[in-house]
Amino acid sequence: MDIHEFLDLPHRFRWGGVGGDDCMTFPASWALTCIGIDPAADLRGTYRTKDEARAIIASHGGELVFMDVHLVPMGAKRVQQPQTGDIGLIKAMTGETMADQMETLIGAICFGPLWACIHPVGVRAKPAEFVAAWRLPC
């Protein structure tokens, strides 16, 4: 399955990555599709809220360490020039209402000059600043 087919699937936002994906399990689902390894396998179903997700990420030392811990053991390599299909940690505005909007670090998939990420209303591809990116082993 290529990136276009993956992004065209009927994705659904769900905290905990069961029956859908959240901002960190979405790129993990892409890795599972690409290489047959789920870097979020140990986490799926262990949390159900944003606060529980944040606690898990904090227990790893933050988003960057969290993603490194889950991607590097499966053979993903850090890259400076992301290409389509690479997994990234990006800066994005999140929040359920305009009053809740805040800059957050989330997982995403490089899609040309854009980054695809999961949102409560589905997958969105938008320009974003990336903090780090990893290339999956192929």
Side-chain angles (χ1 to χ4, degrees):
M1 176 180 299
D2 70 18
I3 188 75
H4 297 278
E5 294 166 324
F6 177 78
L7 295 176
D8 282 340
L9 292 173
H11 296 280
R12 184 173 157 182
F13 188 92
R14 281 278 192 256
W15 289 110
V18 176
D21 282 307
D22 57 44
C23 61
M24 290 303 198
T25 62
F26 178 67
S29 291
W30 168 240
L32 177 60
T33 299
C34 289
I35 63 171
I37 301 170
D38 183 359
D42 64 327
L43 300 171
R44 291 185 190 273
T46 65
Y47 62 99
R48 294 158 97 187
T49 68
K50 176 173 39 174
D51 290 339
E52 290 172 341
R54 285 184 177 165
I56 290 169
I57 291 168
S59 75
H60 283 82
E63 293 88 351
L64 182 59
V65 175
F66 173 84
M67 290 186 77
D68 252 348
V69 163
H70 288 90
L71 293 168
V72 172
M74 58 180 260
K77 304 281 187 214
R78 289 277 285 276
V79 295
Q80 297 300 316
Q81 302 295 322
Q83 299 174 0
T84 295
D86 290 345
I87 291 175
L89 180 63
I90 66 168
K91 293 180 180 181
M93 297 303 288
T94 63
E96 295 179 24
T97 67
M98 289 303 283
D100 294 340
Q101 293 286 302
M102 60 187 280
E103 188 174 79
T104 308
L105 297 178
I106 63 171
I109 306 162
C110 185
F111 185 60
L114 307 175
W115 289 93
C117 53
I118 190 81
H119 185 275
V121 297
V123 175
R124 297 287 180 258
K126 58 186 177 181
E129 179 184 342
F130 79 96
V131 173
W134 295 261
R135 184 148 308 136
L136 298 171
C138 294

mmCIF file of all heavy atoms in Angstrom, residues 117-134:
data_model
loop_
_atom_site.group_PDB
_atom_site.id
_atom_site.type_symbol
_atom_site.label_atom_id
_atom_site.label_comp_id
_atom_site.label_asym_id
_atom_site.label_seq_id
_atom_site.Cartn_x
_atom_site.Cartn_y
_atom_site.Cartn_z
ATOM 1 N N CYS A 117 -1.558 14.375 9.306
ATOM 2 C CA CYS A 117 -1.786 14.017 10.707
ATOM 3 C C CYS A 117 -3.272 13.747 10.913
ATOM 4 O O CYS A 117 -4.108 14.137 10.101
ATOM 5 C CB CYS A 117 -1.279 15.111 11.639
ATOM 6 S SG CYS A 117 -1.904 16.766 11.270
ATOM 7 N N ILE A 118 -3.572 13.061 12.007
ATOM 8 C CA ILE A 118 -4.969 12.743 12.323
ATOM 9 C C ILE A 118 -5.535 13.871 13.180
ATOM 10 O O ILE A 118 -4.829 14.455 14.006
ATOM 11 C CB ILE A 118 -5.092 11.367 13.021
ATOM 12 C CG1 ILE A 118 -6.544 10.906 13.135
ATOM 13 C CG2 ILE A 118 -4.456 11.376 14.384
ATOM 14 C CD1 ILE A 118 -7.082 10.288 11.895
ATOM 15 N N HIS A 119 -6.784 14.156 12.960
ATOM 16 C CA HIS A 119 -7.504 15.234 13.638
ATOM 17 C C HIS A 119 -8.872 14.667 13.981
ATOM 18 O O HIS A 119 -9.330 13.724 13.331
ATOM 19 C CB HIS A 119 -7.594 16.406 12.638
ATOM 20 C CG HIS A 119 -8.200 17.631 13.187
ATOM 21 N ND1 HIS A 119 -9.554 17.833 13.214
ATOM 22 C CD2 HIS A 119 -7.637 18.733 13.724
ATOM 23 C CE1 HIS A 119 -9.811 19.019 13.743
ATOM 24 N NE2 HIS A 119 -8.662 19.583 14.051
ATOM 25 N N PRO A 120 -9.554 15.192 14.964
ATOM 26 C CA PRO A 120 -10.885 14.657 15.279
ATOM 27 C C PRO A 120 -11.849 14.589 14.092
ATOM 28 O O PRO A 120 -12.761 13.767 14.083
ATOM 29 C CB PRO A 120 -11.400 15.603 16.359
ATOM 30 C CG PRO A 120 -10.151 16.010 17.085
ATOM 31 C CD PRO A 120 -9.117 16.161 15.980
ATOM 32 N N VAL A 121 -11.627 15.392 13.064
ATOM 33 C CA VAL A 121 -12.502 15.326 11.888
ATOM 34 C C VAL A 121 -11.891 14.524 10.746
ATOM 35 O O VAL A 121 -12.434 14.484 9.654
ATOM 36 C CB VAL A 121 -12.932 16.734 11.396
ATOM 37 C CG1 VAL A 121 -13.754 17.438 12.458
ATOM 38 C CG2 VAL A 121 -11.737 17.559 10.995
ATOM 39 N N GLY A 122 -10.744 13.875 10.981
ATOM 40 C CA GLY A 122 -10.116 13.042 9.958
ATOM 41 C C GLY A 122 -8.679 13.425 9.697
ATOM 42 O O GLY A 122 -8.069 14.172 10.453
ATOM 43 N N VAL A 123 -8.142 12.912 8.615
ATOM 44 C CA VAL A 123 -6.753 13.184 8.254
ATOM 45 C C VAL A 123 -6.663 14.544 7.580
ATOM 46 O O VAL A 123 -7.485 14.888 6.733
ATOM 47 C CB VAL A 123 -6.214 12.078 7.311
ATOM 48 C CG1 VAL A 123 -4.814 12.415 6.819
ATOM 49 C CG2 VAL A 123 -6.221 10.732 8.022
ATOM 50 N N ARG A 124 -5.654 15.293 7.971
ATOM 51 C CA ARG A 124 -5.393 16.594 7.376
ATOM 52 C C ARG A 124 -3.930 16.627 6.947
ATOM 53 O O ARG A 124 -3.054 16.144 7.670
ATOM 54 C CB ARG A 124 -5.629 17.728 8.374
ATOM 55 C CG ARG A 124 -7.072 17.837 8.849
ATOM 56 C CD ARG A 124 -7.927 18.397 7.730
ATOM 57 N NE ARG A 124 -9.310 18.529 8.114
ATOM 58 C CZ ARG A 124 -10.266 17.693 7.755
ATOM 59 N NH1 ARG A 124 -9.991 16.633 7.042
ATOM 60 N NH2 ARG A 124 -11.511 17.889 8.098
ATOM 61 N N ALA A 125 -3.659 17.210 5.797
ATOM 62 C CA ALA A 125 -2.288 17.414 5.333
ATOM 63 C C ALA A 125 -2.065 18.914 5.256
ATOM 64 O O ALA A 125 -2.841 19.629 4.619
ATOM 65 C CB ALA A 125 -2.063 16.751 3.985
ATOM 66 N N LYS A 126 -1.029 19.383 5.938
ATOM 67 C CA LYS A 126 -0.784 20.821 5.983
ATOM 68 C C LYS A 126 0.700 21.100 6.118
ATOM 69 O O LYS A 126 1.467 20.243 6.548
ATOM 70 C CB LYS A 126 -1.551 21.427 7.149
ATOM 71 C CG LYS A 126 -1.188 20.820 8.492
ATOM 72 C CD LYS A 126 -2.089 21.353 9.577
ATOM 73 C CE LYS A 126 -1.771 20.687 10.909
ATOM 74 N NZ LYS A 126 -2.621 21.150 11.968
ATOM 75 N N PRO A 127 1.122 22.300 5.748
ATOM 76 C CA PRO A 127 2.518 22.667 5.972
ATOM 77 C C PRO A 127 2.762 22.723 7.480
ATOM 78 O O PRO A 127 1.882 23.124 8.241
ATOM 79 C CB PRO A 127 2.638 24.063 5.365
ATOM 80 C CG PRO A 127 1.405 24.292 4.577
ATOM 81 C CD PRO A 127 0.361 23.374 5.109
ATOM 82 N N ALA A 128 3.939 22.318 7.902
ATOM 83 C CA ALA A 128 4.272 22.374 9.325
ATOM 84 C C ALA A 128 5.785 22.376 9.492
ATOM 85 O O ALA A 128 6.520 21.889 8.632
ATOM 86 C CB ALA A 128 3.666 21.184 10.065
ATOM 87 N N GLU A 129 6.215 22.906 10.605
ATOM 88 C CA GLU A 129 7.625 22.847 10.969
ATOM 89 C C GLU A 129 7.879 21.514 11.650
ATOM 90 O O GLU A 129 7.162 21.143 12.583
ATOM 91 C CB GLU A 129 7.950 23.996 11.922
ATOM 92 C CG GLU A 129 9.382 24.010 12.391
ATOM 93 C CD GLU A 129 9.647 25.118 13.407
ATOM 94 O OE1 GLU A 129 8.847 26.072 13.504
ATOM 95 O OE2 GLU A 129 10.669 25.002 14.101
ATOM 96 N N PHE A 130 8.879 20.781 11.170
ATOM 97 C CA PHE A 130 9.179 19.517 11.823
ATOM 98 C C PHE A 130 10.313 19.699 12.815
ATOM 99 O O PHE A 130 11.226 20.483 12.608
ATOM 100 C CB PHE A 130 9.448 18.394 10.813
ATOM 101 C CG PHE A 130 10.821 18.393 10.197
ATOM 102 C CD1 PHE A 130 11.836 17.600 10.726
ATOM 103 C CD2 PHE A 130 11.092 19.166 9.084
ATOM 104 C CE1 PHE A 130 13.094 17.601 10.159
ATOM 105 C CE2 PHE A 130 12.351 19.171 8.507
ATOM 106 C CZ PHE A 130 13.362 18.388 9.051
ATOM 107 N N VAL A 131 10.222 18.966 13.914
ATOM 108 C CA VAL A 131 11.237 18.974 14.961
ATOM 109 C C VAL A 131 12.240 17.858 14.702
ATOM 110 O O VAL A 131 13.434 18.024 14.899
ATOM 111 C CB VAL A 131 10.570 18.800 16.345
ATOM 112 C CG1 VAL A 131 11.598 18.642 17.452
ATOM 113 C CG2 VAL A 131 9.626 19.974 16.623
ATOM 114 N N ALA A 132 11.727 16.712 14.259
ATOM 115 C CA ALA A 132 12.572 15.557 13.949
ATOM 116 C C ALA A 132 11.820 14.695 12.947
ATOM 117 O O ALA A 132 10.590 14.735 12.866
ATOM 118 C CB ALA A 132 12.895 14.746 15.203
ATOM 119 N N ALA A 133 12.574 13.898 12.177
ATOM 120 C CA ALA A 133 11.957 12.999 11.216
ATOM 121 C C ALA A 133 12.753 11.699 11.176
ATOM 122 O O ALA A 133 13.971 11.699 11.393
ATOM 123 C CB ALA A 133 11.910 13.635 9.820
ATOM 124 N N TRP A 134 12.036 10.616 10.906
ATOM 125 C CA TRP A 134 12.631 9.283 10.854
ATOM 126 C C TRP A 134 12.216 8.599 9.553
ATOM 127 O O TRP A 134 11.065 8.671 9.153
ATOM 128 C CB TRP A 134 12.142 8.418 12.015
ATOM 129 C CG TRP A 134 12.551 8.894 13.360
ATOM 130 C CD1 TRP A 134 13.596 8.426 14.108
ATOM 131 C CD2 TRP A 134 11.926 9.903 14.168
ATOM 132 N NE1 TRP A 134 13.656 9.090 15.306
ATOM 133 C CE2 TRP A 134 12.634 10.003 15.378
ATOM 134 C CE3 TRP A 134 10.824 10.745 13.972
ATOM 135 C CZ2 TRP A 134 12.291 10.891 16.382
ATOM 136 C CZ3 TRP A 134 10.476 11.631 14.974
ATOM 137 C CH2 TRP A 134 11.205 11.687 16.160
#
